[in-house]
Amino acid sequence: MSNKMWGGRFAAGPDAIMQEINASIGFDKRLYAEDIAGSRAHARMLAEIGVLTEEDRNAIFSGLETIRGEIENGTFKFSEELEDIHMNIESRLRDLIGDAGARLHTARSRNDQIALDFRLYVRESTDMLIAQIRGLQKILVARASAEAESVMPGFTHLQSAQPVTMGHHLLAYVEMLDRDAGRLADARVRMNECPLGAAALAGTSFPIDRHMTAGELGFDRPTANSLDSVADRDFALEVLAAAAISAMHLSRLAEELVIWSSAQFRFVSMSDGFSTGSSIMPQKRNPDAAELVRAKIGRIAGAFQSLLMVMKGLPMTYGKDMQEDKEVTFDALSAFSLSLAAMTGMIRDMSFNREVMKTAAGSGFATATDLADFLVRELNMPFRDAHHVTGTLVAMAEKKGCALDGLTLEEFKIVDDRIDSRVFGVLTVDKSVASRTAYGGTAPNNVRDQVARWQERLGV
Ligand code: ARG
């Protein structure tokens, strides 16, 4: 039997493999609410311009509500033969209300329909993701506020570099996440034009009111070019790219949680709720959630790459290739959402081991730069010379097996006899971080200022 939606010119139905490769209902059924919203707006507008009677429109409205109910309570029979969500819903609508249902597709095509449905889905996901990023920022700011004075080693090359405060470190991620949210918000602005009414590709001869449907569906305006409307998926690419960049940030934070929660570091303890045990090693507490967040970037960045390759080289306008946009996007956006939720939970529930962090901050001659700065400031030594003198003192301390503040004044004086006892005032990690007061630095007071700025911006 030929297809009842488009089979007018076909004598035979599709091969089973044809049907399998062609059908998208298995994954686009997820767009049912967007499809119904688009159909409602379209029907309302068609009635407004007199293409549908009010009775037809009302029948369409109630038929669509029945269908929504059937889908939500699990009684709707999805059919692969009907290919996709659009034809599954339209076919059921005809069963329910007859001819009125068959009139709904006037001045519309599945090409503008899917462009609309997918855009609505991506737009809603974008809003949700931005809200989730804000939630994670709030948790980070709250934790940063409590750790404004907690000293930890700051790293470059994963080698102890200079002491920093944990509050400052956490706020670094708040900054990154803010740019991530900004990228999503920018993408949303460009995305927010309505493709409905572009029809198959050339627009329609019916006197439709595209401003009306655009307004009803929350868009700023209708898209201006019918070909572009059905041909592009750059709105999804932008969101995937922004998600991939943000997932990269999450991956780095996740990696730090993995390192920090290891027995060798013990800077943090993950909560029971976000740790797992080992089936063989009873002592283990594994940071599985952090590891999974570290890994999710793979499928998120992969989705961006995948869709970019699908779109590359496609001639105008719609090609069935574009049906491949959905699965990767659905998967990536839900993986990103789950990563944000897991990261928010981990950060909220973990505890900081301040003493351990502080001890670590003092190891590895982390205040060597403070010593060199002291020599420059107090002895007017050129920085390059101060660097050399400090290097000699570090070597001395290393030989003696102590930290820099374990050297005696006599020992300092062997290297340069202008050094006096004030040197001990700059060698502790607390003094070191407290001195980093220039804007953007790690001093506890700076952290408190930044926490206040973020609390205001995030409305907490
Ligand atoms: N299932 C299709 C998709 O996801 C809907 C659009 C189909 N249009 C067409 N002319 N066959 O892209």
Side-chain angles (χ1 to χ4, degrees), residues 244-271:
I245 293 172
S246 187
M248 172 276 291
H249 289 147
L250 295 184
S251 171
R252 296 180 70 171
L253 179 51
E255 164 70 346
E256 298 204 302
L257 297 185
V258 171
I259 294 174
W260 292 349
S261 63
S262 69
Q264 288 68 25
F265 268 76
R266 288 195 304 112
F267 287 5
V268 301
S269 305
M270 304 293 277
S271 67

PDB file of all heavy atoms in Angstrom, residues 244-271:
ATOM      1  N   ALA A 244      29.484  23.072  23.918  1.00  0.00           N
ATOM      2  CA  ALA A 244      30.765  22.356  23.908  1.00  0.00           C
ATOM      3  C   ALA A 244      31.831  23.158  24.660  1.00  0.00           C
ATOM      4  O   ALA A 244      32.611  22.591  25.440  1.00  0.00           O
ATOM      5  CB  ALA A 244      31.220  22.092  22.471  1.00  0.00           C
ATOM      6  N   ILE A 245      31.830  24.462  24.464  1.00  0.00           N
ATOM      7  CA  ILE A 245      32.809  25.295  25.180  1.00  0.00           C
ATOM      8  C   ILE A 245      32.542  25.235  26.680  1.00  0.00           C
ATOM      9  O   ILE A 245      33.463  25.065  27.491  1.00  0.00           O
ATOM     10  CB  ILE A 245      32.756  26.753  24.672  1.00  0.00           C
ATOM     11  CG1 ILE A 245      33.255  26.825  23.221  1.00  0.00           C
ATOM     12  CG2 ILE A 245      33.606  27.658  25.566  1.00  0.00           C
ATOM     13  CD1 ILE A 245      33.057  28.185  22.559  1.00  0.00           C
ATOM     14  N   SER A 246      31.274  25.302  27.035  1.00  0.00           N
ATOM     15  CA  SER A 246      30.948  25.266  28.461  1.00  0.00           C
ATOM     16  C   SER A 246      31.249  23.884  29.049  1.00  0.00           C
ATOM     17  O   SER A 246      31.732  23.773  30.182  1.00  0.00           O
ATOM     18  CB  SER A 246      29.468  25.615  28.656  1.00  0.00           C
ATOM     19  OG  SER A 246      29.184  25.740  30.026  1.00  0.00           O
ATOM     20  N   ALA A 247      30.980  22.845  28.275  1.00  0.00           N
ATOM     21  CA  ALA A 247      31.278  21.483  28.748  1.00  0.00           C
ATOM     22  C   ALA A 247      32.783  21.316  28.940  1.00  0.00           C
ATOM     23  O   ALA A 247      33.230  20.559  29.806  1.00  0.00           O
ATOM     24  CB  ALA A 247      30.742  20.452  27.760  1.00  0.00           C
ATOM     25  N   MET A 248      33.561  22.033  28.135  1.00  0.00           N
ATOM     26  CA  MET A 248      35.017  22.031  28.320  1.00  0.00           C
ATOM     27  C   MET A 248      35.361  22.645  29.686  1.00  0.00           C
ATOM     28  O   MET A 248      36.186  22.110  30.430  1.00  0.00           O
ATOM     29  CB  MET A 248      35.655  22.802  27.164  1.00  0.00           C
ATOM     30  CG  MET A 248      37.139  23.071  27.252  1.00  0.00           C
ATOM     31  SD  MET A 248      37.565  24.535  28.217  1.00  0.00           S
ATOM     32  CE  MET A 248      36.961  25.872  27.176  1.00  0.00           C
ATOM     33  N   HIS A 249      34.696  23.743  30.034  1.00  0.00           N
ATOM     34  CA  HIS A 249      34.942  24.339  31.352  1.00  0.00           C
ATOM     35  C   HIS A 249      34.550  23.367  32.464  1.00  0.00           C
ATOM     36  O   HIS A 249      35.294  23.178  33.430  1.00  0.00           O
ATOM     37  CB  HIS A 249      34.141  25.640  31.504  1.00  0.00           C
ATOM     38  CG  HIS A 249      34.666  26.772  30.662  1.00  0.00           C
ATOM     39  ND1 HIS A 249      33.860  27.737  30.101  1.00  0.00           N
ATOM     40  CD2 HIS A 249      35.933  27.084  30.285  1.00  0.00           C
ATOM     41  CE1 HIS A 249      34.612  28.607  29.423  1.00  0.00           C
ATOM     42  NE2 HIS A 249      35.867  28.218  29.514  1.00  0.00           N
ATOM     43  N   LEU A 250      33.389  22.750  32.310  1.00  0.00           N
ATOM     44  CA  LEU A 250      32.946  21.797  33.335  1.00  0.00           C
ATOM     45  C   LEU A 250      33.928  20.642  33.452  1.00  0.00           C
ATOM     46  O   LEU A 250      34.187  20.126  34.534  1.00  0.00           O
ATOM     47  CB  LEU A 250      31.552  21.248  32.994  1.00  0.00           C
ATOM     48  CG  LEU A 250      30.391  22.230  33.005  1.00  0.00           C
ATOM     49  CD1 LEU A 250      29.069  21.492  32.735  1.00  0.00           C
ATOM     50  CD2 LEU A 250      30.305  22.968  34.340  1.00  0.00           C
ATOM     51  N   SER A 251      34.462  20.256  32.314  1.00  0.00           N
ATOM     52  CA  SER A 251      35.394  19.140  32.291  1.00  0.00           C
ATOM     53  C   SER A 251      36.668  19.485  33.086  1.00  0.00           C
ATOM     54  O   SER A 251      37.225  18.648  33.806  1.00  0.00           O
ATOM     55  CB  SER A 251      35.716  18.819  30.828  1.00  0.00           C
ATOM     56  OG  SER A 251      36.746  17.896  30.734  1.00  0.00           O
ATOM     57  N   ARG A 252      37.096  20.713  32.982  1.00  0.00           N
ATOM     58  CA  ARG A 252      38.286  21.128  33.727  1.00  0.00           C
ATOM     59  C   ARG A 252      38.005  21.171  35.227  1.00  0.00           C
ATOM     60  O   ARG A 252      38.816  20.716  36.039  1.00  0.00           O
ATOM     61  CB  ARG A 252      38.760  22.503  33.236  1.00  0.00           C
ATOM     62  CG  ARG A 252      39.214  22.461  31.791  1.00  0.00           C
ATOM     63  CD  ARG A 252      39.681  23.803  31.289  1.00  0.00           C
ATOM     64  NE  ARG A 252      40.955  24.179  31.911  1.00  0.00           N
ATOM     65  CZ  ARG A 252      41.679  25.234  31.516  1.00  0.00           C
ATOM     66  NH1 ARG A 252      41.254  25.994  30.523  1.00  0.00           N
ATOM     67  NH2 ARG A 252      42.806  25.516  32.108  1.00  0.00           N
ATOM     68  N   LEU A 253      36.852  21.701  35.587  1.00  0.00           N
ATOM     69  CA  LEU A 253      36.499  21.726  37.011  1.00  0.00           C
ATOM     70  C   LEU A 253      36.350  20.294  37.533  1.00  0.00           C
ATOM     71  O   LEU A 253      36.799  19.965  38.635  1.00  0.00           O
ATOM     72  CB  LEU A 253      35.201  22.536  37.200  1.00  0.00           C
ATOM     73  CG  LEU A 253      34.643  22.675  38.610  1.00  0.00           C
ATOM     74  CD1 LEU A 253      35.696  23.155  39.606  1.00  0.00           C
ATOM     75  CD2 LEU A 253      33.447  23.630  38.622  1.00  0.00           C
ATOM     76  N   ALA A 254      35.740  19.461  36.716  1.00  0.00           N
ATOM     77  CA  ALA A 254      35.559  18.057  37.112  1.00  0.00           C
ATOM     78  C   ALA A 254      36.915  17.385  37.334  1.00  0.00           C
ATOM     79  O   ALA A 254      37.115  16.647  38.306  1.00  0.00           O
ATOM     80  CB  ALA A 254      34.763  17.311  36.037  1.00  0.00           C
ATOM     81  N   GLU A 255      37.835  17.670  36.456  1.00  0.00           N
ATOM     82  CA  GLU A 255      39.185  17.102  36.594  1.00  0.00           C
ATOM     83  C   GLU A 255      39.825  17.571  37.897  1.00  0.00           C
ATOM     84  O   GLU A 255      40.493  16.813  38.602  1.00  0.00           O
ATOM     85  CB  GLU A 255      40.040  17.502  35.387  1.00  0.00           C
ATOM     86  CG  GLU A 255      41.536  17.335  35.547  1.00  0.00           C
ATOM     87  CD  GLU A 255      42.006  15.891  35.596  1.00  0.00           C
ATOM     88  OE1 GLU A 255      41.158  14.990  35.767  1.00  0.00           O
ATOM     89  OE2 GLU A 255      43.219  15.665  35.467  1.00  0.00           O
ATOM     90  N   GLU A 256      39.601  18.835  38.245  1.00  0.00           N
ATOM     91  CA  GLU A 256      40.171  19.321  39.504  1.00  0.00           C
ATOM     92  C   GLU A 256      39.537  18.604  40.688  1.00  0.00           C
ATOM     93  O   GLU A 256      40.223  18.277  41.661  1.00  0.00           O
ATOM     94  CB  GLU A 256      39.988  20.834  39.603  1.00  0.00           C
ATOM     95  CG  GLU A 256      40.731  21.535  38.470  1.00  0.00           C
ATOM     96  CD  GLU A 256      41.093  22.968  38.755  1.00  0.00           C
ATOM     97  OE1 GLU A 256      40.185  23.773  39.035  1.00  0.00           O
ATOM     98  OE2 GLU A 256      42.291  23.285  38.680  1.00  0.00           O
ATOM     99  N   LEU A 257      38.242  18.348  40.610  1.00  0.00           N
ATOM    100  CA  LEU A 257      37.593  17.627  41.711  1.00  0.00           C
ATOM    101  C   LEU A 257      38.175  16.216  41.839  1.00  0.00           C
ATOM    102  O   LEU A 257      38.357  15.714  42.941  1.00  0.00           O
ATOM    103  CB  LEU A 257      36.072  17.557  41.500  1.00  0.00           C
ATOM    104  CG  LEU A 257      35.336  18.903  41.474  1.00  0.00           C
ATOM    105  CD1 LEU A 257      33.824  18.671  41.374  1.00  0.00           C
ATOM    106  CD2 LEU A 257      35.661  19.740  42.702  1.00  0.00           C
ATOM    107  N   VAL A 258      38.442  15.602  40.705  1.00  0.00           N
ATOM    108  CA  VAL A 258      39.038  14.260  40.734  1.00  0.00           C
ATOM    109  C   VAL A 258      40.411  14.317  41.423  1.00  0.00           C
ATOM    110  O   VAL A 258      40.724  13.517  42.305  1.00  0.00           O
ATOM    111  CB  VAL A 258      39.173  13.686  39.306  1.00  0.00           C
ATOM    112  CG1 VAL A 258      39.989  12.393  39.306  1.00  0.00           C
ATOM    113  CG2 VAL A 258      37.788  13.434  38.695  1.00  0.00           C
ATOM    114  N   ILE A 259      41.206  15.291  41.018  1.00  0.00           N
ATOM    115  CA  ILE A 259      42.551  15.413  41.614  1.00  0.00           C
ATOM    116  C   ILE A 259      42.442  15.779  43.098  1.00  0.00           C
ATOM    117  O   ILE A 259      43.056  15.150  43.955  1.00  0.00           O
ATOM    118  CB  ILE A 259      43.371  16.495  40.863  1.00  0.00           C
ATOM    119  CG1 ILE A 259      43.645  16.049  39.417  1.00  0.00           C
ATOM    120  CG2 ILE A 259      44.689  16.773  41.585  1.00  0.00           C
ATOM    121  CD1 ILE A 259      44.324  17.118  38.565  1.00  0.00           C
ATOM    122  N   TRP A 260      41.642  16.786  43.394  1.00  0.00           N
ATOM    123  CA  TRP A 260      41.555  17.293  44.764  1.00  0.00           C
ATOM    124  C   TRP A 260      40.994  16.253  45.743  1.00  0.00           C
ATOM    125  O   TRP A 260      41.295  16.313  46.934  1.00  0.00           O
ATOM    126  CB  TRP A 260      40.639  18.524  44.825  1.00  0.00           C
ATOM    127  CG  TRP A 260      41.174  19.749  44.145  1.00  0.00           C
ATOM    128  CD1 TRP A 260      42.438  19.958  43.663  1.00  0.00           C
ATOM    129  CD2 TRP A 260      40.441  20.947  43.872  1.00  0.00           C
ATOM    130  NE1 TRP A 260      42.529  21.208  43.110  1.00  0.00           N
ATOM    131  CE2 TRP A 260      41.326  21.842  43.218  1.00  0.00           C
ATOM    132  CE3 TRP A 260      39.127  21.363  44.109  1.00  0.00           C
ATOM    133  CZ2 TRP A 260      40.939  23.119  42.812  1.00  0.00           C
ATOM    134  CZ3 TRP A 260      38.737  22.626  43.700  1.00  0.00           C
ATOM    135  CH2 TRP A 260      39.632  23.492  43.062  1.00  0.00           C
ATOM    136  N   SER A 261      40.149  15.366  45.246  1.00  0.00           N
ATOM    137  CA  SER A 261      39.547  14.393  46.172  1.00  0.00           C
ATOM    138  C   SER A 261      40.399  13.134  46.308  1.00  0.00           C
ATOM    139  O   SER A 261      40.059  12.238  47.058  1.00  0.00           O
ATOM    140  CB  SER A 261      38.123  14.039  45.713  1.00  0.00           C
ATOM    141  OG  SER A 261      38.166  13.405  44.448  1.00  0.00           O
ATOM    142  N   SER A 262      41.524  13.086  45.593  1.00  0.00           N
ATOM    143  CA  SER A 262      42.375  11.887  45.700  1.00  0.00           C
ATOM    144  C   SER A 262      43.068  11.864  47.061  1.00  0.00           C
ATOM    145  O   SER A 262      43.246  12.900  47.706  1.00  0.00           O
ATOM    146  CB  SER A 262      43.427  11.895  44.587  1.00  0.00           C
ATOM    147  OG  SER A 262      44.352  12.933  44.815  1.00  0.00           O
ATOM    148  N   ALA A 263      43.475  10.674  47.491  1.00  0.00           N
ATOM    149  CA  ALA A 263      44.136  10.529  48.793  1.00  0.00           C
ATOM    150  C   ALA A 263      45.418  11.344  48.852  1.00  0.00           C
ATOM    151  O   ALA A 263      45.845  11.791  49.904  1.00  0.00           O
ATOM    152  CB  ALA A 263      44.434   9.048  49.053  1.00  0.00           C
ATOM    153  N   GLN A 264      46.043  11.552  47.685  1.00  0.00           N
ATOM    154  CA  GLN A 264      47.307  12.284  47.656  1.00  0.00           C
ATOM    155  C   GLN A 264      47.092  13.785  47.866  1.00  0.00           C
ATOM    156  O   GLN A 264      47.954  14.469  48.383  1.00  0.00           O
ATOM    157  CB  GLN A 264      48.030  12.035  46.322  1.00  0.00           C
ATOM    158  CG  GLN A 264      48.618  10.636  46.170  1.00  0.00           C
ATOM    159  CD  GLN A 264      47.558   9.539  46.057  1.00  0.00           C
ATOM    160  OE1 GLN A 264      46.428   9.776  45.637  1.00  0.00           O
ATOM    161  NE2 GLN A 264      47.917   8.331  46.445  1.00  0.00           N
ATOM    162  N   PHE A 265      45.966  14.297  47.443  1.00  0.00           N
ATOM    163  CA  PHE A 265      45.689  15.729  47.605  1.00  0.00           C
ATOM    164  C   PHE A 265      44.823  16.015  48.830  1.00  0.00           C
ATOM    165  O   PHE A 265      45.177  16.836  49.646  1.00  0.00           O
ATOM    166  CB  PHE A 265      44.976  16.274  46.346  1.00  0.00           C
ATOM    167  CG  PHE A 265      45.910  16.829  45.310  1.00  0.00           C
ATOM    168  CD1 PHE A 265      46.654  15.992  44.503  1.00  0.00           C
ATOM    169  CD2 PHE A 265      46.033  18.208  45.143  1.00  0.00           C
ATOM    170  CE1 PHE A 265      47.503  16.506  43.537  1.00  0.00           C
ATOM    171  CE2 PHE A 265      46.884  18.729  44.184  1.00  0.00           C
ATOM    172  CZ  PHE A 265      47.621  17.885  43.381  1.00  0.00           C
ATOM    173  N   ARG A 266      43.652  15.377  48.898  1.00  0.00           N
ATOM    174  CA  ARG A 266      42.681  15.585  49.984  1.00  0.00           C
ATOM    175  C   ARG A 266      42.316  17.048  50.222  1.00  0.00           C
ATOM    176  O   ARG A 266      42.045  17.448  51.335  1.00  0.00           O
ATOM    177  CB  ARG A 266      43.202  14.953  51.299  1.00  0.00           C
ATOM    178  CG  ARG A 266      43.167  13.434  51.270  1.00  0.00           C
ATOM    179  CD  ARG A 266      43.313  12.833  52.659  1.00  0.00           C
ATOM    180  NE  ARG A 266      44.521  13.275  53.355  1.00  0.00           N
ATOM    181  CZ  ARG A 266      44.529  14.065  54.430  1.00  0.00           C
ATOM    182  NH1 ARG A 266      43.409  14.487  54.974  1.00  0.00           N
ATOM    183  NH2 ARG A 266      45.671  14.421  54.984  1.00  0.00           N
ATOM    184  N   PHE A 267      42.301  17.871  49.171  1.00  0.00           N
ATOM    185  CA  PHE A 267      41.851  19.258  49.349  1.00  0.00           C
ATOM    186  C   PHE A 267      40.352  19.288  49.640  1.00  0.00           C
ATOM    187  O   PHE A 267      39.871  20.161  50.329  1.00  0.00           O
ATOM    188  CB  PHE A 267      42.106  20.093  48.081  1.00  0.00           C
ATOM    189  CG  PHE A 267      43.539  20.440  47.820  1.00  0.00           C
ATOM    190  CD1 PHE A 267      44.565  19.947  48.620  1.00  0.00           C
ATOM    191  CD2 PHE A 267      43.871  21.282  46.769  1.00  0.00           C
ATOM    192  CE1 PHE A 267      45.889  20.281  48.373  1.00  0.00           C
ATOM    193  CE2 PHE A 267      45.186  21.639  46.516  1.00  0.00           C
ATOM    194  CZ  PHE A 267      46.208  21.125  47.309  1.00  0.00           C
ATOM    195  N   VAL A 268      39.632  18.366  49.021  1.00  0.00           N
ATOM    196  CA  VAL A 268      38.184  18.315  49.234  1.00  0.00           C
ATOM    197  C   VAL A 268      37.768  16.880  49.538  1.00  0.00           C
ATOM    198  O   VAL A 268      38.473  15.927  49.200  1.00  0.00           O
ATOM    199  CB  VAL A 268      37.390  18.800  47.989  1.00  0.00           C
ATOM    200  CG1 VAL A 268      37.767  20.224  47.621  1.00  0.00           C
ATOM    201  CG2 VAL A 268      37.582  17.869  46.806  1.00  0.00           C
ATOM    202  N   SER A 269      36.620  16.769  50.207  1.00  0.00           N
ATOM    203  CA  SER A 269      35.985  15.456  50.366  1.00  0.00           C
ATOM    204  C   SER A 269      34.652  15.536  49.670  1.00  0.00           C
ATOM    205  O   SER A 269      33.845  16.440  49.958  1.00  0.00           O
ATOM    206  CB  SER A 269      35.780  15.132  51.840  1.00  0.00           C
ATOM    207  OG  SER A 269      37.005  15.223  52.523  1.00  0.00           O
ATOM    208  N   MET A 270      34.434  14.620  48.752  1.00  0.00           N
ATOM    209  CA  MET A 270      33.147  14.587  48.068  1.00  0.00           C
ATOM    210  C   MET A 270      32.121  13.997  49.034  1.00  0.00           C
ATOM    211  O   MET A 270      32.444  13.161  49.869  1.00  0.00           O
ATOM    212  CB  MET A 270      33.230  13.713  46.811  1.00  0.00           C
ATOM    213  CG  MET A 270      34.332  14.142  45.849  1.00  0.00           C
ATOM    214  SD  MET A 270      34.013  15.737  45.117  1.00  0.00           S
ATOM    215  CE  MET A 270      32.941  15.239  43.784  1.00  0.00           C
ATOM    216  N   SER A 271      30.875  14.433  48.898  1.00  0.00           N
ATOM    217  CA  SER A 271      29.829  13.902  49.772  1.00  0.00           C
ATOM    218  C   SER A 271      29.528  12.449  49.404  1.00  0.00           C
ATOM    219  O   SER A 271      29.842  12.001  48.297  1.00  0.00           O
ATOM    220  CB  SER A 271      28.557  14.727  49.597  1.00  0.00           C
ATOM    221  OG  SER A 271      28.052  14.522  48.285  1.00  0.00           O
TER     222      SER A 271
END
